[in-house]
Each structure stands twice: as structure tokens, then as C-alpha cells.
């Protein structure tokens, strides 16, 4: 029996080391990393500047306490607020915790409106984490199964459907916020229609609701802007960030703007590790590297290259439905369960993960060379063509 609880359906591949977009298993086999630890290693593996920042900071000071001033946390908060156009940050260690903080801010917003039993509008097909509150917000019965009673106070509507929100508003007078991924990730890489996010902003303004964006998977440059909602002109009141913010070091943040940034007061929230000197130093270094190496532009360029190549190479494959997403957040949709294609891709030396229904996800590093980007597309196309040729 394993000493680990049985919570993952793991592939039998043990990676021993990585460099850039490449990973090597313990038998020396080399793989292209097509999913970057699920949208985490945006700068690739073993980035020398990240490795150096961690080593230097570990040699100087890793942790003190949020009972003391942490100048590096101030700097990381400043850098993050600058790129996000937000006012202030709470640091934490994961995406779920960032969303927990967002949901707590929504509850405090309810208090300012004298609402006793506040409700947050959440979406079908969404994913917000595995803590009790965030799994209750998540739109997946599979994620929730076995964990009732769920946290109360969520009204669920279909994604990309403004009328459904108008109907919810007519039915409930105790709504205080909307929590939504600007592009759904786990749900299958689903971008909404162009008028959706501005429509949400308008509804929140009309009803005095907080607009809360979960940018944990689609943020930090992945779609070609720092945050996916920045492809529009609207701003959220609250935003959660994690994953690529630490390039593999666990760090997350909940950001807020305007009145929403004033709601948390001393004693309302806290964390032992969140934003410690080591985590803050890594987040700062990640932001600097993305800025200095123009990696947002690169995410757009490489995303277009991979998506266009896949569309060309899969056009005649009867299993292929579409490529969707933005920048380096790419979903390749098939008309059947994509596990066989995923397995064939592994044989081709390409690692990727499924998402939602019938979709394989590509979330590679923004530091990919163009050759490696093309190689990802070629290997996936070859894998899909091999599966297509197999007897059903
Ligand atoms: C959109 C979104 N929100 C929240 C989370 C939860 O993040 P974490 O696993 O760091 O708690 C994830 C993780 O996949 C995510 O994709």
C-alpha cells in the first residue's frame, strides 16, 4: 500500500529534472512539457533567474511572520497591483486560498449592505478549488460528490449567459457578487462571447455587486495580457491569482480595488506563510522576467503559431472538432474522449492534460522556442492521427 492517500489518477511517469520546456523521466526519456504543471511553469523549468532568486533568498531570509513588516511582500504587492490595475493585495499560498479570500470579501461587502444571507453568482462548468467554500462555488458535481453539506450562498447559472444572471437578479435580492473565470480552464478552455465580461460589469454596477474574476489559470500573461480580462476595458473589484505567479513556488494572491479593497480589517483574515520573504521574492522575480523578456507578446505569438499549425494539421482528422482559447491557453477539442490521444501523445514524447469534455489542454511555457512550439503541434497532430487510424 502506498504511503500517499489515493487522491490522484497518476500517470506512471516520474520526472527527475527539467530544463525550459523539456522534462526527463528517471529512465532518461525526454518529454516536451505541453501543460506546464497545469499553467504554472510559465517561465519553463529550472529558470536560472528563479533558481538564483530562491537560493539567494533562502540563504538570507525565508520566513518571518505577518506579525512583522515584510518589505519584499510590500514590493510584490506593489508590482502585482501595478500589472493588475488593482489597489491592494492579500498574499496566500494557493489558488483555492485566493478564492477563499475573495469569497470572504464578498461576505464583508454583504455586511455593508445589511444582507444577512448573501449569495454569490457562480457558473456551471467552473472550477475554483478544493476547499469546502471553493468546491461549493465550483460547477462540477464530480468535485462536490461526497462533501455535503456544501457551503451555502451560491446561485449557479450557465456560463456566458447574461440573461440567466438577469433572471437570477430578479429572483434573489440578496446577491452580493459574481465569481467567474474570464476564460474557463478546467471546464475545457472556454472563452465567453466578447460582450460577456462588459455585460457582467454593467450588471454589477447596476446592482451594487462585486465583480470577482478568478484569473488563477488564465492570468499572469498566459493569454497575451497580464490578465485575461485585460483584453477588454473593464476592471473587476476583486481578482484571484496563483499558479504562474510563482512558476512552481506556491504563492497566490487576492487583489481588490476601490471600496472592495477597504473591507478587510485587522483580525478578519490571515495566514502563516502567505507572502513570506521567499514567496514574495519569487513573485517579484517572475513579474520582472515576464516584463523584461516581453513574454506576454511571446505568449500571443507562440499561441497563434501552435493553434494555426494544429488547425492545419488536424483539418482532415475526423476526430478533430476545434482549437479554442487565447494565447498559450489552448484547448483542442475532439468528438470523443481524448484519453487515447493523450496516451498516444505520451508515446510521441509530449505531456498534456485533459479538461472538461473531450478536450486536451495545452498550457506550455511562454519561453518556448518557436521550434519547440511547432514540435508540440506536430507531436499532438501525429498522436491524433495515429488514434484516428486505430480500429474503434
Ligand atoms: C481557475 C482556477 N481556480 C482555482 C484553482 C485552484 O487552485 P489551487 O489548486 O492552487 O488551489 C484552479 C486550479 O486548477 C483553477 O484553475
Amino acid at each position: 500500500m502506498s504511503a500517499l492517500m489515493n487522491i490522484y489518477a497518476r500517470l506512471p511517469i516520474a520526472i527527475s529534472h527539467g530544463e525550459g520546456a523539456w522534462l526527463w523521466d528517471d529512465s532518461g526519456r525526454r518529454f516536451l512539457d505541453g501543460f506546464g504543471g497545469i499553467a504554472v511553469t510559465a517561465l519553463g523549468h529550472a529558470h536560472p533567474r528563479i533558481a538564483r532568486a530562491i537560493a539567494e533568498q533562502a540563504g538570507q531570509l525565508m520566513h518571518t511572520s505577518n506579525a512583522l513588516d515584510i518589505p519584499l511582500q510590500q514590493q510584490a504587492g506593489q508590482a502585482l497591483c501595478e500589472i493588475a490595475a488593482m489597489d491592494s493585495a492579500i498574499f496566500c499560498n494557493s489558488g483555492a486560498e485566493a478564492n477563499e479570500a475573495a469569497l470572504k470579501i464578498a461576505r464583508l461587502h454583504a455586511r455593508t449592505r445589511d444582507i444577512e444571507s448573501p449569495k454569490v453568482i457562480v457558473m456551471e462548468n467552473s472550477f475554483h478549488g478544493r476547499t469546502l467554500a471553493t468546491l461549493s462555488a465550483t460547477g462540477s458535481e464530480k468535485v462536490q460528490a461526497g462533501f455535503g453539506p456544501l457551503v451555502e450562498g451560491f446561485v449557479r447559472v450557465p456560463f456566458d449567459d447574461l440573461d440567466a444572471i438577469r433572471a437570477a437578479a430578479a429572483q434573489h435580492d440578496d446577491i452580493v457578487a459574481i465569481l467567474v473565470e474570464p476564460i474557463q480552464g478546467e471546464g475545457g478552455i472556454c472563452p465567453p462571447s466578447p460582450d460577456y465580461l462588459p455585460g457582467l460589469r454593467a450588471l454589477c454596477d447596476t446592482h451594487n455587486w462585486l465583480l470577482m474574476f478568478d484569473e488563477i489559470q488564465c492570468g499572469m500573461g498566459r493569454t497575451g495580457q497580464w490578465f485575461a480580462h485585460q483584453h477588454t476595458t473593464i476592471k473587476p473589484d476583486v481578482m484571484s491569482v496563483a499558479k504562474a505567479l510563482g512558476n512552481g513556488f506556491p504563492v497566490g494572491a487576492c487583489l481588490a480595488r476601490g471600496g472592495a479593497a477597504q473591507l478587510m480589517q485587522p483580525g478578519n483574515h490571515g495566514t502563516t506563510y502567505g507572502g513570506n520573504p521567499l514567496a514574495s521574492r519569487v513573485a517579484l522575480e517572475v513579474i520582472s522576467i515576464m516584463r523584461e523578456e516581453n513574454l506576454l507578446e511571446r505568449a500571443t505569438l507562440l499561441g497563434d503559431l501552435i493553434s494555426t499549425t494544429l488547425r492545419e494539421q488536424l483539418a482532415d482528422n475526423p476526430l478533430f472538432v476545434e482549437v479554442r482559447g487565447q494565447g498559450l491557453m489552448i484547448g483542442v477539442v475532439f468528438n470523443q474522449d481524448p484519453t487515447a490521444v493523450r496516451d498516444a501523445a505520451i508515446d510521441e514524447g509530449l505531456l498534456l492534460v485533459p479538461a472538461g469534455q473531450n478536450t486536451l489542454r495545452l498550457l506550455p511555457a511562454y519561453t518556448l522556442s518557436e521550434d519547440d512550439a511547432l514540435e508540440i503541434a506536430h507531436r499532438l497532430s501525429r498522436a491524433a492521427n495515429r488514434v484516428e487510424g486505430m480500429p474503434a
Side-chain angles (χ1 to χ4, degrees):
M1 183 179 158
S2 166
L4 302 178
M5 276 199 212
N6 185 23
I7 62 172
Y8 300 106
R10 297 181 200 266
L11 295 168
I13 298 171
I15 300 298
S16 66
H17 63 286
E19 192 183 326
W22 293 89
L23 291 168
W24 283 262
D25 76 5
D26 48 12
S27 68
R29 232 192 120 190
R30 190 168 84 129
F31 298 93
L32 255 176
D33 184 355
F35 73 103
I38 318 192
V40 169
T41 50
L43 306 177
H45 299 282
H47 193 290
R49 281 182 59 181
I50 296 293
R52 208 175 318 123
I54 290 176
E56 272 176 23
Q57 194 59 45
Q60 187 180 334
L61 183 70
M62 277 169 60
H63 181 86
T64 53
S65 161
N66 279 310
L68 302 175
D69 240 2
I70 303 178
L72 278 166
Q73 190 183 114
Q74 286 283 351
Q75 291 171 37
Q78 181 81 34
L80 202 45
C81 285
E82 233 172 76
I83 61 174
M86 301 295 273
D87 291 335
S88 54
I90 295 171
F91 279 95
C92 56
N93 315 290
S94 67
E97 279 171 278
N99 282 333
E100 285 277 345
L103 291 168
K104 285 176 72 174
I105 289 175
R107 293 264 169 115
L108 292 179
H109 177 62
R111 305 288 101 85
T112 68
R113 295 182 47 199
D114 290 330
I115 292 176
E116 285 287 311
S117 306
K119 297 197 173 62
V120 175
I121 295 184
V122 290
M123 307 304 151
E124 289 173 6
N125 203 40
S126 60
F127 184 81
H128 299 295
R130 299 281 193 163
T131 62
L132 270 178
T134 58
L135 75 82
S136 301
T138 290
S140 157
E141 282 172 20
K142 215 168 109 196
V143 168
Q144 294 175 343
F147 296 110
L150 300 181
V151 171
E152 287 176 20
F154 296 106
V155 175
R156 195 168 306 286
V157 298
F159 182 62
D160 199 16
D161 184 344
L162 292 171
D163 282 338
I165 297 184
R166 288 186 197 105
Q171 226 185 328
H172 304 273
D173 55 11
D174 44 10
I175 291 167
V176 294
I178 297 177
L179 174 65
V180 62
E181 297 157 84
I183 298 178
Q184 288 189 329
E186 301 296 308
I189 313 292
C190 310
S193 342
D195 63 348
Y196 184 60
L197 300 183
L200 294 180
R201 180 69 270 173
L203 281 164
C204 286
D205 291 342
T206 304
H207 295 284
N208 189 12
W209 301 338
L210 297 180
L211 180 57
M212 310 202 297
F213 284 156
D214 178 340
E215 289 261 8
I216 288 162
Q217 189 161 147
C218 58
M220 290 307 298
R222 180 152 297 281
T223 68
Q225 294 282 349
W226 283 110
F227 296 99
H229 73 270
Q230 292 172 339
H231 293 281
T232 74
T233 55
I234 60 117
K235 290 177 184 170
D237 302 294
V238 177
M239 181 168 93
S240 43
V241 190
K243 289 197 183 270
L245 178 59
N247 202 55
F249 191 88
V251 52
C254 174
L255 307 176
R257 190 174 66 85
Q262 312 292 325
L263 293 167
M264 286 282 196
Q265 294 298 319
N268 284 147
H269 198 63
T271 149
T272 297
Y273 293 126
N276 76 13
L278 184 55
S280 299
R281 174 80 186 265
V282 175
L284 266 173
E285 194 70 8
V286 165
I287 294 170
S288 300
I289 295 168
M290 286 186 182
R291 267 200 172 121
E292 287 161 29
E293 298 185 5
N294 290 327
L295 292 182
L296 277 53
E297 277 167 38
R298 193 129 184 96
T300 304
L301 184 131
L302 294 170
D304 288 349
L305 185 62
I306 294 176
S307 298
T308 311
T309 311
L310 281 171
R311 284 189 190 105
E312 279 165 19
Q313 297 190 340
L314 290 172
D316 295 332
N317 186 316
L319 305 181
F320 172 66
V321 177
E322 63 169 331
V323 174
R324 65 186 176 212
Q326 192 152 21
L328 284 174
M329 185 172 190
I330 301 170
V332 187
V333 188
F334 296 94
N335 58 14
Q336 63 172 41
D337 181 318
T339 307
V341 180
R342 194 269 320 265
D343 291 346
I346 293 173
D347 292 341
E348 295 284 342
L350 170 67
L351 299 179
L352 25 76
V353 278
Q357 296 245 311
N358 298 352
T359 304
L360 288 178
R361 249 184 307 181
L362 288 170
L363 304 158
Y366 323 159
T367 51
L368 277 179
S369 69
E370 276 153 62
D371 282 350
D372 285 347
L374 283 172
E375 192 59 28
I376 287 179
H378 295 325
R379 289 182 186 204
L380 177 51
S381 304
R382 277 203 304 270
N385 290 338
R386 268 177 43 200
V387 172
E388 191 272 313
M390 287 176 193

